[in-house]
Amino acid sequence: MSVPTKSLKITPAIMIGGSGTRLWPLSRSNMPKQFLQLVDDRSLFQNTLARINDPIFSAPWLLTSRAFIEMVNAQARQMDQEFAGIVLEPFQRGTAAALAAVAVAASQGDEDALVLAMPADHVIDNPSLFLDAVKKAIPLAESSKIVTFGIVPTVPETGFGYIRPGEPHFVNGEAVGALVDQPGGFLEKPDLERAKQFVEMGYLWNAGIFLFRASALVEELKRHAPSVYEAVAASIARGTTRNLGSHTLLMPADEDFARCPNDVPIDTAVLEKSANVAVVPCDDIGWADIGSLSALWDISDKDENGNVLRGDGFVSQSRNCLVHAQSGRRVVLSHIEDIMVIDSEDAIVVLPKAQAQRVKDIVASLKKMDAPEVSFTRSALKSWGAVKIDRTYDDSQVCAVTFHGRNSVTYRVSGAERETWFLHGDHRAEYGVDGDFTPFVPGNPVSFSRGQVVTIRNASGLSEFTYVRKDPDLNWKIDDWFPQVAEVEASKVRVG
């Protein structure tokens, strides 16, 4: 990670991970919640990018996996967002490994660099107040404290961890946050009675957002989590770095990164052991970590009867209901209360709001049935456009493919014996096999066979195709369609 030397700005590091089943059927393994439009017309990831659009921040770094790079590219392009770089985690090993990668890479460019590490899937309704809290935390981070941001509770929530503030920390005579003393400074998710006690005692929700000097976190990792630090440091030292012009791509070495202990959070690895942790309270920033379908109802604007409607929904004589309709069907509720209806592209879930946590059991049962809907969507964003399965028959699939701008894709035909493309309307595009290019004629079919290397190039602002896969492998995930000839190409990971 190449951070500008002695920069006076804060480098945002956005962590983009997660398996994505807590909000099923909206969220899937290949489409976790950070890429969904859950609160407005931008995804949570895109709102995170918008949150750091301030002169105090330098260009951000992204920490993600190869599985999400296409989605990251596509959604970032929609925001016209520039990056300093992307770190591709070979495997997800928990927030300790993720933050170690951020700290180690950042310290190579400037060991005193200030880094703001935050998840891509949080909601913050009042970003200006959050920015004020970040600015307030700078003196703490500059004094080598690892600063966490504590959310002032609005209810005795049992789904979050808590932070117990200690003595106030003074900078130039002014109280700036508080120290977090151990043991007992970080507390696990409580039951309801303990949650009520925590709120009464002034404890804070743990938001999982951190500001730190890169070298400070490196030293704490060496002291308290040496196995994590050593594996991550070796993976970066032996990894691959590519300068892609607009940004840097950093790919840690797989074998070294695999030595990281699995699923270790930064809280237990470092924060619960360190004497150099502080917390800055955040009040009224509108923070939410959407951990269940009912949480969508909690954070959303409601009508006069307490109903929340997203998409094509209609309610009559109903109260306190949630309708999330994104399939193109109209969802109608009448004469019911406290019900959630989630109508996705390939699954419908109906259950009481009070039973939102049952989704976990539902997903577990569907996994035993090998139901593909548990993990994978019928549509996927690509860096060059989008693809969606419209219909599936015994021997074929009919899909829609869209190209945005003057983009192209070169891939090897696989996952089906034959595929046929139909260009629609007055759009202009061409196809190439073995280096010879021919324009598509709208409405005329063009077919390719398994094993052929094909390039599709868009020559207009938008091109739309019907795409038919003949004798397809129905277990071939849509994420893996259009496999690149080279495993990692600059065109595949390019942002901008």
Side-chain angles (χ1 to χ4, degrees):
M1 182 183 294
S2 178
V3 179
T5 302
K6 301 302 180 184
S7 171
L8 296 178
K9 293 190 175 184
I10 297 172
T11 298
I14 301 174
M15 298 179 288
I16 309 167
S19 59
T21 57
R22 291 193 299 167
L23 295 175
W24 190 84
L26 299 177
S27 180
R28 317 283 177 97
S29 296
N30 70 332
M31 181 67 78
K33 66 178 179 178
Q34 57 261 29
F35 299 120
L36 299 178
Q37 297 174 350
L38 295 179
V39 294
D40 53 31
D41 59 358
R42 294 190 300 210
S43 72
L44 301 184
F45 166 53
Q46 290 173 323
N47 281 333
T48 304
L49 293 175
R51 203 172 298 141
I52 56 173
N53 184 21
D54 186 271
I56 195 173
F57 297 115
S58 62
W61 277 77
L62 304 182
L63 185 72
T64 190
S65 66
R66 294 185 180 101
F68 298 142
I69 193 65
E70 290 267 22
M71 193 74 63
V72 167
N73 285 334
Q75 294 203 352
R77 181 175 286 114
Q78 293 171 359
M79 295 287 290
D80 293 324
Q81 176 67 58
E82 294 184 356
F83 297 101
I86 300 176
V87 180
L88 285 184
E89 278 187 296
F91 322 97
Q92 290 187 7
R93 286 292 187 262
T95 55
L99 287 170
V102 169
V104 170
S107 64
Q108 293 178 351
D110 176 7
E111 65 178 11
D112 291 328
L114 289 183
V115 179
L116 178 67
M118 52 187 170
D121 58 0
H122 287 183
V123 174
I124 295 179
D125 284 338
N126 297 309
S128 62
L129 292 181
F130 172 67
L131 181 60
D132 289 343
V134 172
K135 291 178 179 178
K136 185 177 181 181
I138 290 175
L140 283 164
E142 288 183 328
S143 65
S144 297
K145 294 291 186 291
I146 300 170
V147 184
T148 182
F149 294 88
I151 308 301
V152 177
T154 54
V155 295
E157 173 63 55
T158 61
F160 301 144
Y162 283 73
I163 301 172
R164 183 190 67 189
E167 293 297 319
H169 184 80
F170 291 89
V171 176
N172 296 327
E174 180 183 356
V176 179
L179 300 178
V180 180
D181 299 321
Q182 294 298 342
F186 288 86
L187 301 117
E188 297 298 323
K189 298 174 183 178
D191 58 27
L192 182 58
E193 286 305 312
R194 280 176 58 80
K196 290 178 180 177
Q197 295 172 11
F198 289 172
V199 173
E200 291 173 359
M201 291 186 288
Y203 292 5
L204 306 167
W205 290 338
N206 186 356
I209 303 172
F210 307 97
L211 180 68
F212 52 85
R213 179 175 280 164
S215 58
L217 184 55
V218 165
E219 289 305 312
E220 294 299 298
L221 286 162
K222 288 179 179 178
R223 182 177 299 115
H224 302 295
S227 61
V228 173
Y229 168 77
E230 290 164 6
V232 170
S235 73
I236 290 176
R238 296 173 184 154
T240 302
T241 301
R242 293 183 181 179
N243 186 344
L244 301 181
S246 61
H247 68 281
T248 299
L249 178 69
L250 176 59
M251 293 177 284
D254 292 15
E255 184 177 346
D256 295 296
F257 203 89
R259 291 192 287 109
C260 283
N262 192 26
D263 199 23
V264 176
I266 192 66
D267 301 57
T268 56
V270 171
L271 302 184
E272 294 178 3
K273 303 170 183 175
S274 173
N276 293 308
V277 179
V279 61
V280 170
C282 297
D283 198 4
D284 296 328
I285 67 171
W287 176 87
D289 179 12
I290 305 173
S292 67
L293 292 173
S294 61
L296 290 175
W297 182 87
D298 293 336
I299 68 169
S300 299
D301 293 333
K302 303 169 182 64
D303 66 16
E304 64 275 12
N305 294 312
N307 298 305
V308 173
L309 304 179
R310 281 191 62 80
D312 199 2
F314 174 77
V315 294
S316 173
Q317 303 296 311
S318 299
R319 297 177 59 83
N320 301 325
C321 293
L322 167 68
V323 176
H324 199 292
Q326 62 178 31
S327 66
R329 293 180 287 260
R330 183 181 294 276
V331 176
V332 178
L333 272 63
S334 182
H335 294 83
I336 56 176
E337 295 185 3
D338 300 310
I339 291 293
M340 302 186 301
V341 179
I342 311 298
D343 185 19
S344 69
E345 58 186 8
D346 57 358
I348 301 172
V349 171
V350 181
L351 76 167
K353 284 209 320 303
Q355 298 298 320
Q357 297 300 331
R358 288 279 300 166
V359 168
K360 183 165 54 176
D361 301 326
I362 294 169
V363 170
S365 298
L366 290 172
K367 281 184 177 179
K368 292 180 181 178
M369 299 166 51
D370 292 325
E373 297 84 5
V374 170
S375 300
F376 302 106
T377 57
R378 295 172 60 88
S379 59
L381 277 178
K382 301 289 186 179
S383 58
W384 43 264
V387 57
K388 179 179 181 180
I389 301 171
D390 284 336
R391 296 180 299 280
T392 297
Y393 302 99
D394 290 339
D395 63 348
S396 62
Q397 284 179 314
V398 180
C399 314
V401 179
T402 303
F403 281 79
H404 297 292
R406 295 180 178 272
N407 285 311
S408 67
V409 59
T410 298
Y411 67 101
R412 191 182 304 277
V413 178
S414 53
E417 289 301 317
R418 189 173 73 256
E419 58 183 44
T420 302
W421 294 71
F422 297 85
L423 177 65
H424 296 291
D426 297 327
H427 306 306
R428 292 180 296 111
E430 58 185 6
Y431 60 93
V433 180
D434 299 326
D436 297 323
F437 282 86
T438 304
F440 281 99
V441 176
N444 286 8
V446 177
S447 295
F448 310 110
S449 300
R450 183 190 292 271
Q452 284 187 295
V453 175
V454 177
T455 298
I456 308 292
R457 291 200 305 216
N458 183 32
S460 58
L462 175 74
S463 289
E464 297 175 319
F465 294 86
T466 292
Y467 170 67
V468 181
R469 304 173 75 226
K470 185 67 175 177
D471 294 326
D473 178 355
L474 297 180
N475 293 319
W476 193 275
K477 305 188 301 290
I478 195 169
D479 303 65
D480 297 330
W481 291 14
F482 309 109
Q484 303 294 292
V485 177
E487 183 175 343
V488 177
E489 294 184 34
S491 62
K492 187 178 181 181
V493 296
R494 176 175 56 85
V495 176

